[in-house]
mmCIF file with all atom_site columns, all heavy atoms in Angstrom:
data_model
loop_
_atom_site.group_PDB
_atom_site.id
_atom_site.type_symbol
_atom_site.label_atom_id
_atom_site.label_alt_id
_atom_site.label_comp_id
_atom_site.label_asym_id
_atom_site.label_entity_id
_atom_site.label_seq_id
_atom_site.pdbx_PDB_ins_code
_atom_site.Cartn_x
_atom_site.Cartn_y
_atom_site.Cartn_z
_atom_site.occupancy
_atom_site.B_iso_or_equiv
_atom_site.pdbx_formal_charge
_atom_site.auth_seq_id
_atom_site.auth_comp_id
_atom_site.auth_asym_id
_atom_site.auth_atom_id
_atom_site.pdbx_PDB_model_num
ATOM 1  N N   . LEU A 1 172 ? 1.058  -2.218 -11.269 1.00 97.00 ? 172 LEU A N   1
ATOM 2  C CA  . LEU A 1 172 ? 0.281  -1.125 -11.872 1.00 97.00 ? 172 LEU A CA  1
ATOM 3  C C   . LEU A 1 172 ? 0.011  -1.515 -13.321 1.00 97.00 ? 172 LEU A C   1
ATOM 4  O O   . LEU A 1 172 ? 0.866  -2.149 -13.945 1.00 97.00 ? 172 LEU A O   1
ATOM 5  C CB  . LEU A 1 172 ? 1.180  0.122  -11.830 1.00 97.00 ? 172 LEU A CB  1
ATOM 6  C CG  . LEU A 1 172 ? 0.638  1.499  -12.096 1.00 97.00 ? 172 LEU A CG  1
ATOM 7  C CD1 . LEU A 1 172 ? -0.307 1.906  -10.971 1.00 97.00 ? 172 LEU A CD1 1
ATOM 8  C CD2 . LEU A 1 172 ? 1.808  2.501  -12.149 1.00 97.00 ? 172 LEU A CD2 1
ATOM 9  N N   . THR A 1 173 ? -1.171 -1.161 -13.867 1.00 98.00 ? 173 THR A N   1
ATOM 10 C CA  . THR A 1 173 ? -1.368 -1.376 -15.314 1.00 98.00 ? 173 THR A CA  1
ATOM 11 C C   . THR A 1 173 ? -1.184 -0.020 -16.001 1.00 98.00 ? 173 THR A C   1
ATOM 12 O O   . THR A 1 173 ? -1.362 1.031  -15.368 1.00 98.00 ? 173 THR A O   1
ATOM 13 C CB  . THR A 1 173 ? -2.786 -1.906 -15.630 1.00 98.00 ? 173 THR A CB  1
ATOM 14 O OG1 . THR A 1 173 ? -3.734 -0.885 -15.291 1.00 98.00 ? 173 THR A OG1 1
ATOM 15 C CG2 . THR A 1 173 ? -3.104 -3.189 -14.867 1.00 98.00 ? 173 THR A CG2 1
ATOM 16 N N   . SER A 1 174 ? -0.872 -0.031 -17.283 1.00 97.00 ? 174 SER A N   1
ATOM 17 C CA  . SER A 1 174 ? -0.644 1.240  -17.982 1.00 97.00 ? 174 SER A CA  1
ATOM 18 C C   . SER A 1 174 ? -1.923 2.087  -17.988 1.00 97.00 ? 174 SER A C   1
ATOM 19 O O   . SER A 1 174 ? -1.860 3.315  -17.947 1.00 97.00 ? 174 SER A O   1
ATOM 20 C CB  . SER A 1 174 ? -0.125 1.008  -19.398 1.00 97.00 ? 174 SER A CB  1
ATOM 21 O OG  . SER A 1 174 ? -0.985 0.143  -20.079 1.00 97.00 ? 174 SER A OG  1
ATOM 22 N N   . GLU A 1 175 ? -3.102 1.407  -17.990 1.00 98.00 ? 175 GLU A N   1
ATOM 23 C CA  . GLU A 1 175 ? -4.389 2.150  -17.971 1.00 98.00 ? 175 GLU A CA  1
ATOM 24 C C   . GLU A 1 175 ? -4.578 2.897  -16.648 1.00 98.00 ? 175 GLU A C   1
ATOM 25 O O   . GLU A 1 175 ? -5.315 3.874  -16.584 1.00 98.00 ? 175 GLU A O   1
ATOM 26 C CB  . GLU A 1 175 ? -5.582 1.194  -18.178 1.00 98.00 ? 175 GLU A CB  1
ATOM 27 C CG  . GLU A 1 175 ? -5.722 0.637  -19.583 1.00 98.00 ? 175 GLU A CG  1
ATOM 28 C CD  . GLU A 1 175 ? -4.645 -0.392 -19.905 1.00 98.00 ? 175 GLU A CD  1
ATOM 29 O OE1 . GLU A 1 175 ? -4.159 -1.062 -18.967 1.00 98.00 ? 175 GLU A OE1 1
ATOM 30 O OE2 . GLU A 1 175 ? -4.264 -0.493 -21.089 1.00 98.00 ? 175 GLU A OE2 1
ATOM 31 N N   . GLU A 1 176 ? -3.936 2.409  -15.603 1.00 98.00 ? 176 GLU A N   1
ATOM 32 C CA  . GLU A 1 176 ? -4.112 3.051  -14.280 1.00 98.00 ? 176 GLU A CA  1
ATOM 33 C C   . GLU A 1 176 ? -3.238 4.311  -14.121 1.00 98.00 ? 176 GLU A C   1
ATOM 34 O O   . GLU A 1 176 ? -3.363 5.017  -13.125 1.00 98.00 ? 176 GLU A O   1
ATOM 35 C CB  . GLU A 1 176 ? -3.751 2.051  -13.163 1.00 98.00 ? 176 GLU A CB  1
ATOM 36 C CG  . GLU A 1 176 ? -4.840 1.030  -12.910 1.00 98.00 ? 176 GLU A CG  1
ATOM 37 C CD  . GLU A 1 176 ? -4.361 -0.141 -12.036 1.00 98.00 ? 176 GLU A CD  1
ATOM 38 O OE1 . GLU A 1 176 ? -3.140 -0.320 -11.857 1.00 98.00 ? 176 GLU A OE1 1
ATOM 39 O OE2 . GLU A 1 176 ? -5.230 -0.885 -11.565 1.00 98.00 ? 176 GLU A OE2 1
ATOM 40 N N   . ILE A 1 177 ? -2.359 4.556  -15.085 1.00 98.00 ? 177 ILE A N   1
ATOM 41 C CA  . ILE A 1 177 ? -1.459 5.718  -14.945 1.00 98.00 ? 177 ILE A CA  1
ATOM 42 C C   . ILE A 1 177 ? -2.247 7.010  -15.181 1.00 98.00 ? 177 ILE A C   1
ATOM 43 O O   . ILE A 1 177 ? -2.892 7.168  -16.223 1.00 98.00 ? 177 ILE A O   1
ATOM 44 C CB  . ILE A 1 177 ? -0.264 5.626  -15.923 1.00 98.00 ? 177 ILE A CB  1
ATOM 45 C CG1 . ILE A 1 177 ? 0.564  4.387  -15.601 1.00 98.00 ? 177 ILE A CG1 1
ATOM 46 C CG2 . ILE A 1 177 ? 0.594  6.888  -15.854 1.00 98.00 ? 177 ILE A CG2 1
ATOM 47 C CD1 . ILE A 1 177 ? 1.635  4.072  -16.626 1.00 98.00 ? 177 ILE A CD1 1
ATOM 48 N N   . THR A 1 178 ? -2.193 7.902  -14.190 1.00 98.00 ? 178 THR A N   1
ATOM 49 C CA  . THR A 1 178 ? -2.883 9.196  -14.301 1.00 98.00 ? 178 THR A CA  1
ATOM 50 C C   . THR A 1 178 ? -1.859 10.319 -14.101 1.00 98.00 ? 178 THR A C   1
ATOM 51 O O   . THR A 1 178 ? -0.695 10.052 -13.792 1.00 98.00 ? 178 THR A O   1
ATOM 52 C CB  . THR A 1 178 ? -3.951 9.340  -13.181 1.00 98.00 ? 178 THR A CB  1
ATOM 53 O OG1 . THR A 1 178 ? -3.251 9.288  -11.926 1.00 98.00 ? 178 THR A OG1 1
ATOM 54 C CG2 . THR A 1 178 ? -4.998 8.252  -13.243 1.00 98.00 ? 178 THR A CG2 1
#
Side-chain angles (χ1 to χ4, degrees):
L172 193 68
T173 66
S174 54
E175 288 72 29
E176 283 167 345
I177 298 171
T178 62

